[in-house]
Amino acid sequence: MPDPQVTAELAYKHGLSPEEWERVLSILGRTPTYPELGIFSVMWSEHCSYKSSRVHLKRFPTGGPQVLQGPGENAGVVDIGDGWAVCFKMESHNHPSYIEPYQGAATGVGGILRDVFTMGARPIANLNALFFGRPDHPKTAHLVKGVVAGIGDYGNCIGVPTVGGQVMFHPSYDGNILVNAFTLGLLRADGIFRGYASGVGNPVLYVGSKTGRDGIHGATMASAEFSEATEEKRPTVQVGDPFTEKLLLEACLELMAEDVIVGIQDMGAAGLTSSSFEMAGRSGSGIRFELDKVPMREKGMTPYELLLSESQERMLIVAQRGKENRVREIFSKWGLDAAEIGAVTDTGRAEIFWHGERVVDMPVGPVSDQAPLYKRPMEEPAGFRSRKSVPLPALKKADQGRALLTLMGSPNLCSKRWVYTQYDQSVRTNTVLGPGADAALIRIKGTTKAVAMTTDVNPRFCKLDPFEGGRLAVAEAARNIACVGAKPLAITDCLNFGNPERPEVMWEFSRAVDGISEACLALNTPVVSGNVSFYNETNGEGIHPTPTIGMVGLLDDVARRMDPWFKDEGDLVVVLGETKGHLGGSEYLWAIHGMEAGAPPPLDLQRETALIGLLQELAAKGLAKSVHDCSEGGLAVCAAECGLAPRRTLGAHLELESAGLDAAALLFGEDASRALVTCASIHQEGLLAAARQAGIQAKAVGAAGGDRLRISVDGQPSVDVPMAEIRDAWENGLGSVVG
């Protein structure tokens, strides 16, 4: 079948605007061929070009002495000392996972794994951040089950542990769930590989799985809103094969151990098109290849389909001339295709042939790194200021013990054991702390080091105030890293927002970027990689702003690690940080009163920095037995969670002073920069002295022990609940979702 005639109307159907179409004509000096139109449509899509976000992303701090590779490559790389480095990134697979949850989530994991091992790192841990709609929405159970199964099956098959993450539910995700996947890999600091296509005459090899028709237009699908026609987009979802990915991983790492290749790039969004244009664009070179040499698994494929297919488990490699046979030998050993399809040129152009006919002849630069750049209009959302004030005195008084049980059993705070037990958490035997801890912890074998990692964001805070929400997400991530004793190093991000063509969405995005930037500068955690996901909307209804933060930290001595759980009867319980009873945007308001209002808790970054340093000191000196971040659900929920160790339940008796606060605000307020710590009585003075030296308020409020959680306020009982009831509510909270 001949290619359709390329017209302005066809270009518009491919997602190009009239202005972009005129720009295409100007670049080429003629009407593009059908394959050329496809290349422009995917490379200039929001998903690939970041055309609405780049002007804002430039404000991120991206450098530091620990940064070996920042944004612009497949993943970021950070030095952890002694010749070692870690490579990490987070990506979204939101639209595919809503359309086809199993394959969408599975291929999201596969894609982020390839981003990491493309850099020369062996993946050693996965995290994920999942955001679903209402627990009682008709599609939620189906989506949760499919996504969790896809993540588990892919990670388990390839042998990379999934060691943490977050799962949240909110009506704003009813029509557009979020699946954010994070991978961390380990490599030698002098062994980083990059996506370059340099060296005129060097051969270009296609390696991995054969190309099929799955995933065509995946990038453009991810750059548009959903509607009633969403189900029609099912063919744009890729299909994954984790067993092939495992072979590809091992083949690539074996190849990288030899001096054979110049550059390597994952064929992710936009497939062969993005990998070839990005590699040539980074090098300022040209590239020439023959599409009929691409291994295919379907008959009758066209140049357009081959260029735009997003079939999984594929890489593009530029080998050193004369060493291409070694590439073939290694991939043949692992049972994978390695086909020489072209070579690097010095023309600065992409020249692509099909059975001897030139079907693409276009400059690389304007396509790869000169996509349209938009500074879209921004406008504060209507009602933004009014949402930030909530009449707390008008709230109906609730029984605080009953409120605690409700919160512990709510889908956002309950145990996610049903989720994470479907993931292999300990394969490769490096997992020190897995799901349930404030941050996951993976040891580096042969050293005393361990790497901490976490994902964090509170979408309610970000909706109520995206600037403060962005700052709070970074601060909580850093606090969680410090709660296991580690030093925060750097972040990756997954910035999930609605339609950027709406001024209020771009305002939210810009404010969140500024908040993240300010916190990263204060905490010395530069942004080294990340992803932007726009158009998370269905029928004009957008998600809450969800700038997910993935943070990595370093613990020099894994023997000094801490966890959140009470240890022994009689251990002192100490609150670090100030309690001021901020309920704005809290789980308490949402779960108990059905309200989403108020200003998020204010954040003092100087105080947060001091607390993070103090937590590291407590770990290093062995002054604390347990440490838990006090955030979602407030102080009462934090204390309850500390008593719910994986194989033991232990209560506590706390005596609090209200200082004029309402009991609900005292117990469930989500003030920033706080942690709940336990210590043996012999270490009490040392702990309090360290806190004074750091300038952090510290107050002993009770002791761990018994089988109940008892909290009195100003000498009056406020909460008195058996720990068995708390555990029952907590462990069965997801039952309302998954049955």
Side-chain angles (χ1 to χ4, degrees), residues 713-725:
V713 177
D714 296 335
Q716 299 300 312
S718 184
V719 171
D720 188 355
V721 183
M723 288 299 298
E725 287 188 29

Side-chain angles (χ1 to χ4, degrees), residues 309-327:
S309 168
E310 295 184 11
S311 294
Q312 298 289 285
E313 295 86 40
R314 303 179 301 158
M315 296 280 195
L316 200 66
I317 289 175
V318 174
Q320 297 178 29
R321 186 164 44 180
K323 296 185 177 180
E324 54 268 38
N325 284 339
R326 182 56 183 151
V327 177

Side-chain angles (χ1 to χ4, degrees), residues 21 86 105 245 333 349 354 366 370 382 419 518 536 540 547 586 605 727 735:
W21 170 241
V86 287
E245 178 110 339
K333 167 188 169 182
R349 301 183 69 82
W354 176 247
Q370 298 171 35
V419 174
E518 184 175 291
N536 290 291
S586 65
L605 284 166
R727 184 176 282 279

Side-chain angles (χ1 to χ4, degrees), residues 22-30 40 44 362-363 366-367 370:
E22 291 300 321
R23 190 166 177 175
V24 168
L25 296 178
S26 174
I27 289 170
L28 295 179
R30 57 175 170 80
F40 275 109
W44 285 6
M362 58 201 296
V367 181
Q370 298 171 35

Side-chain angles (χ1 to χ4, degrees), residues 412-480:
N412 286 340
L413 296 183
C414 71
S415 169
K416 304 306 187 296
R417 187 175 183 275
W418 180 90
V419 174
Y420 64 70
T421 51
Q422 297 185 55
Y423 308 149
D424 192 328
Q425 307 149 41
S426 56
V427 62
R428 306 190 70 84
T429 68
N430 295 320
T431 306
V432 178
L433 287 174
D438 289 276
L441 205 55
I442 298 288
R443 72 166 57 86
I444 307 301
K445 282 182 180 171
T447 76
T448 62
K449 299 178 185 289
V451 179
M453 63 205 80
T454 184
T455 66
D456 287 287
V457 68
N458 187 321
R460 277 196 303 277
F461 289 168
C462 295
K463 183 64 178 178
L464 293 167
D465 188 331
F467 177 79
E468 288 297 338
R471 294 203 317 153
L472 286 161
V474 175
E476 183 177 355
R479 200 180 318 129
N480 281 330

